[in-house]
Amino acid sequence: MPMCWGLVPSWHKGDPKTVAHNLNNCRRETMLEKPSFRHAFSKGRRCVVVADGFYEWKRDQKPKQPYFIYSKGNTLDSFLGESLDTELSKIEGGLKEEPLPGEKVKLLPSAIESTETASSQSSAVCPVDDTNKSTIEDADNSPNNPHWRGRRLLTMAGIFDIWRKSEDAEPMYTYSVITVESPPSFGWIHHRMPAILNGEKDIQDWLEYNKVPSQQAALLCHATEDLIWHQVAAAVNSVKNKSVECIQLFEPTEKSV
C-alpha cells in the first residue's frame, strides 16, 4: 500500500503539510494516549514498514556523524550489488525528490531515516487479507530464520491513518514509525530506535487487529539487539541524494573530523 511518511490524523482540518512532518514517529509509551495516534490505533490501523535499514546521527560529535543501521544478517556487499540510482531507475519514473504529503508515490524497500528527519523510501504493509497474505508469509527474514537466503529487511511497527480533504475526496494514506528506548548496545548512537517486529508471528499478530487487541499488540513493540551499523558520508543529510554513497562505508580523515 503506497503511503506517505508523516501521519496526518483523519480528524485534522486544514493543510496536511502543517502536521505530517511533525508526526514521522510515534513513541510507543504514549501511542495509546496521544490524540494524534490514539484514534488510528483504536481502529486497528497498524502496519509494517519494511526497509533495508535506517539512518541515525550521533549528535555529540561536531559535525554530527551519520550511521547506516541494518540487520545483522546482512553485509555491506549485499547492499552494493547495484547502485541506488540503478534501483530507483526501475521504479516508475524514479523518486527525484522527497514526496510531499498527499503525493502519489510508488515505494520500495530501501533505507529510511529515523527519529527526526524526512523519509527516504520504504514499503508499508497493511492488515492481512488475501491480497497481501503472501507478502506477510515471505516477510520472516529475521536472523533467526535459517531458511532465508535473501537480503534481510527490517520490519518496523507502524501506525497509519486515512485523511480526506472532504467526504467525497480521494483518501490520503499516511503513517508513522513507532519508536522505543534503545538498548545499551545502540544507545551510544541515539536513545531512540524503531520498534522491530521479530519474525512472522509478531508481524501477523501486529496486523491482525481483529484478533489481537491494542494493549496486547503494543507489547510487540520493542527494541532489538540484532542490528549492525557503519559510518556513512554526510551526503545522507540531504534527501535529494540517492547515490550509493549514502550507504558506503565512510572513514573520516583527520581533516574531515
Side-chain angles (χ1 to χ4, degrees), residues 79-89 242-244 247:
F79 296 103
L80 298 177
E82 286 185 303
S83 72
L84 295 184
D85 287 334
T86 301
E87 291 183 17
L88 289 174
S89 69
K242 308 293 183 183
S243 73
V244 71
I247 58 174

Side-chain angles (χ1 to χ4, degrees), residues 200-243:
E200 182 179 353
K201 184 179 187 306
D202 282 4
I203 293 172
Q204 292 279 5
D205 288 348
W206 178 252
L207 294 177
E208 293 188 346
Y209 61 91
N210 287 326
K211 297 180 180 179
V212 181
S214 297
Q215 294 285 352
Q216 183 178 343
L219 299 177
L220 299 171
C221 298
H222 48 74
T224 180
E225 301 271 4
D226 293 325
L227 297 174
I228 53 177
W229 48 81
H230 61 262
Q231 295 181 112
V232 292
V236 303
N237 293 337
S238 172
V239 296
K240 293 183 179 181
N241 293 330
K242 308 293 183 183
S243 73

Side-chain angles (χ1 to χ4, degrees), residues 45-242:
R45 291 177 175 171
R46 309 192 300 244
C47 63
V48 179
V49 182
V50 184
D52 284 333
F54 62 96
Y55 297 105
E56 196 51 85
W57 282 255
K58 186 168 174 55
R59 299 174 185 275
D60 59 1
Q61 294 180 215
K62 291 186 179 181
K64 294 180 293 186
Q65 175 60 54
Y67 287 79
F68 179 49
I69 299 105
Y70 48 100
S71 172
K72 278 185 178 178
N74 293 319
T75 64
L76 180 56
D77 288 343
S78 68
F79 296 103
L80 298 177
E82 286 185 303
S83 72
L84 295 184
D85 287 334
T86 301
E87 291 183 17
L88 289 174
S89 69
K90 297 177 182 178
I91 305 303
E92 298 171 357
L95 296 178
K96 302 301 183 183
E97 58 185 46
E98 176 65 15
L100 297 174
E103 286 187 329
K104 291 293 184 181
V105 296
K106 186 176 180 65
L107 302 173
L108 75 161
S110 187
I112 186 171
E113 296 174 0
S114 183
T115 54
E116 298 176 5
T117 52
S119 168
S120 181
Q121 306 95 40
S122 61
S123 292
V125 179
C126 291
V128 179
D129 57 27
D130 290 339
T131 62
N132 64 16
K133 185 176 181 182
S134 61
T135 303
I136 306 304
E137 290 174 347
D138 292 340
D140 189 8
N141 62 98
S142 56
N144 60 359
N145 180 359
H147 304 294
W148 182 262
R149 292 293 180 267
R151 186 187 301 175
R152 298 186 187 278
L153 303 177
L154 297 180
T155 46
M156 301 181 285
I159 185 170
F160 74 96
D161 213 342
I162 306 169
W163 181 87
R164 289 180 171 85
K165 186 175 182 179
S166 60
E167 289 187 4
D168 57 349
E170 188 172 354
M172 181 176 79
Y173 288 79
T174 60
Y175 71 95
S176 290
V177 175
I178 296 172
T179 66
V180 294
E181 286 285 337
S182 297
S185 61
F186 183 75
W188 66 275
I189 297 179
H190 198 280
H191 67 285
R192 305 289 298 182
M193 69 178 299
I196 307 298
L197 298 168
N198 184 25
E200 182 179 353
K201 184 179 187 306
D202 282 4
I203 293 172
Q204 292 279 5
D205 288 348
W206 178 252
L207 294 177
E208 293 188 346
Y209 61 91
N210 287 326
K211 297 180 180 179
V212 181
S214 297
Q215 294 285 352
Q216 183 178 343
L219 299 177
L220 299 171
C221 298
H222 48 74
T224 180
E225 301 271 4
D226 293 325
L227 297 174
I228 53 177
W229 48 81
H230 61 262
Q231 295 181 112
V232 292
V236 303
N237 293 337
S238 172
V239 296
K240 293 183 179 181
N241 293 330
K242 308 293 183 183

